[in-house]
Amino acid sequence: MHFRPAVETDLDDLLGCVVDESISWAHPDRLLSFLESGNYRYDHMWLAVSEDDGEILARAVWWGFPGGDRPLAMDCLYVHPSVGDRVELAAELLRRAHAAFGTKPAYHVFVSNGWREDPKALAAIGWRWEAAGRAGLTEELERLRYEWTADEPVPEQSDRLVFRGDDDDEVFVAAFRRVAEGTLDHHTRQALTTMDPEAQAREDVDGYKSMPGDRSWWRLAYAKDGDLVGVALPSANNAGPVVGYLGVVPGHRGHGYVDDLLAEITRFHAERGVQRIIADTDLGNVPMARAFERAGYRKFSIRLVLSADPVNA
Ligand SMILES: CC(C)(COP(=O)(O)OP(=O)(O)OC[C@H]1O[C@@H](n2cnc3c(N)ncnc32)[C@H](O)[C@@H]1OP(=O)(O)O)[C@@H](O)C(=O)NCCC(=O)NCCS
């Protein structure tokens, strides 16, 4: 067995890997379009190939921003059906790739609602989960995926908040920092265990700036007396328009402002003719999940995120 990153001449063999299990994967259309956009790179795909005939026996594919030199998330884990111990082969492939990357990006898997009761989905996830765990991705997080579609009513504009853009990133860094206090969002809480609040806020702002959504869409929300209430960032990812990020500063929580911020984002996208808006939130962020449900967003799937403990990442 030989472990190595992919190269351009592997393309036909990469396209020949087929995952026919109940799980998201880097299928040929996705592979080709993300190679073209720069979200996938050959050196961010790792292979285990047979020493005898060069056949791909395992393949892992990571995603990143175009031009970014580090992969940010693993998208697909494939092992050829002929392999006996697929868990160990996949785990070894991930260990080698992590060592080469110098980081252990999280594995993002998309599954349907009710996956825990679906034997096919459980089987597809089960061995990958075990392999990811052996390679150090031991933390699990379930994120709920919501969608708003244009057949839902467009929400009214808030009559108690004023929304304004601001070209100064520092203003958003300061607002993100306040909104992160006491957050129920797992990723932010985890980041705050290893970073100071300002660095964490800056990293988030930089992350949202790298997304395909426009920086000029970002809004700060103020009460009538000029006090900052929160942030509302309509955005977009490779798949289309997303809610992006929203948050309420601690002193204004518990007054339902989350509904005004979400309405602003939904209205903003709807008014530019968007037909579908996607949003994710953690299973444990109950106030946010309730707000999506009140605003006519429908839960359509689940994103499972398997990541390294932040101190071992
Ligand atoms: C999620 C969030 C936007 C909710 O804002 P909000 O305007 O306070 O929401 P609501 O007014 O609907 O609050 C609903 C309930 O949840 C409680 N609550 C809200 N945020 C809370 C938090 N972070 N921790 C504990 N309880 C919280 C409120 O006190 C309220 O309780 P009550 O009904 O007993 O009064 C806000 O908590 C927040 O900014 N969190 C940090 C950022 C975040 O998680 N953004 C979403 C990322 S997807």
Side-chain angles (χ1 to χ4, degrees), residues 104-107 136-141 186 190 305-310:
K104 295 177 185 163
Y107 180 19
L137 305 180
T138 52
E139 306 272 301
E140 72 181 81
L141 172 69
H186 175 85
Q190 209 181 40
V305 184
L306 306 177
S307 62
D309 184 305

Side-chain angles (χ1 to χ4, degrees), residues 222-233:
Y222 296 94
K224 290 272 159 62
D225 64 4
D227 204 22
L228 180 73
V229 169
V231 291
L233 270 71

Side-chain angles (χ1 to χ4, degrees), residues 34-78:
F34 277 3
L35 274 171
E36 193 177 336
S37 64
N39 294 102
Y40 285 173
R41 290 170 30 160
Y42 287 101
D43 59 340
H44 292 168
M45 296 184 210
W46 269 68
L47 309 175
V49 294
S50 156
E51 304 267 9
D52 300 335
D53 55 9
E55 190 179 2
I56 297 181
L57 296 177
R59 181 193 81 169
V61 179
W62 282 264
W63 179 95
F65 288 123
D69 45 328
R70 280 186 160 207
L72 297 178
M74 185 168 73
D75 243 9
C76 180
L77 187 56
Y78 156 90

Side-chain angles (χ1 to χ4, degrees), residues 187-200:
H187 177 78
T188 312
R189 288 166 76 105
Q190 209 181 40
L192 285 171
T193 63
T194 57
M195 293 170 106
D196 74 70
E198 168 142 354
Q200 189 279 325

Side-chain angles (χ1 to χ4, degrees), residues 14-277:
L14 286 166
L15 294 172
C17 298
V18 176
V19 174
D20 59 0
E21 301 156 83
S22 294
I23 200 158
S24 52
W25 66 291
H27 51 76
D29 286 349
R30 185 174 174 89
L31 198 93
L32 288 171
S33 76
F34 277 3
L35 274 171
E36 193 177 336
S37 64
N39 294 102
Y40 285 173
R41 290 170 30 160
Y42 287 101
D43 59 340
H44 292 168
M45 296 184 210
W46 269 68
L47 309 175
V49 294
S50 156
E51 304 267 9
D52 300 335
D53 55 9
E55 190 179 2
I56 297 181
L57 296 177
R59 181 193 81 169
V61 179
W62 282 264
W63 179 95
F65 288 123
D69 45 328
R70 280 186 160 207
L72 297 178
M74 185 168 73
D75 243 9
C76 180
L77 187 56
Y78 156 90
V79 174
H80 193 280
S82 68
V83 173
D85 189 349
R86 56 187 178 179
V87 173
E88 191 42 40
L89 180 60
E92 185 57 19
L93 180 64
L94 299 190
R95 285 186 209 109
R96 305 267 183 141
H98 291 166
F101 297 152
T103 175
K104 295 177 185 163
Y107 180 19
H108 289 235
V109 195
F110 297 94
V111 285
S112 46
N113 288 331
W115 63 274
R116 286 179 200 274
E117 285 76 50
D118 174 357
K120 280 190 183 161
L122 269 180
I125 294 165
W127 70 265
R128 290 178 170 86
W129 199 321
E130 199 180 332
R134 284 193 203 174
L137 305 180
T138 52
E139 306 272 301
E140 72 181 81
L141 172 69
E142 218 170 305
R143 284 178 64 78
L144 310 177
R145 313 203 70 210
Y146 285 96
E147 67 174 350
W148 179 91
T149 46
D151 50 2
E152 288 291 328
V154 177
E156 300 281 314
Q157 187 160 26
S158 168
D159 56 8
R160 52 184 184 159
L161 295 181
V162 179
F163 290 91
R164 273 205 304 274
D166 199 310
D167 292 340
D168 185 355
D169 286 351
E170 292 308 308
V171 177
F172 279 98
V173 170
F176 267 59
R177 184 181 165 157
R178 289 181 65 191
V179 159
E181 276 173 48
T183 181
L184 299 173
D185 181 75
H186 175 85
H187 177 78
T188 312
R189 288 166 76 105
Q190 209 181 40
L192 285 171
T193 63
T194 57
M195 293 170 106
D196 74 70
E198 168 142 354
Q200 189 279 325
R202 203 169 290 286
E203 187 180 80
D204 259 10
V205 166
D206 288 346
Y208 284 103
K209 276 178 78 176
S210 330
M211 290 177 70
D214 244 45
R215 165 68 175 80
S216 66
W217 299 347
W218 299 9
R219 292 289 177 269
L220 295 154
Y222 296 94
K224 290 272 159 62
D225 64 4
D227 204 22
L228 180 73
V229 169
V231 291
L233 270 71
S235 190
N237 64 19
N238 291 117
V242 296
V243 165
Y245 187 63
L246 62 86
V248 175
V249 301
H252 285 292
R253 287 187 188 148
H255 299 291
Y257 282 126
V258 62
D259 294 341
D260 304 54
L261 300 177
L262 182 55
E264 180 68 13
I265 293 174
T266 310
R267 221 172 45 82
F268 171 81
H269 279 315
E271 283 181 356
R272 42 181 213 105
V274 159
Q275 296 296 303
R276 183 171 186 246
I277 309 168

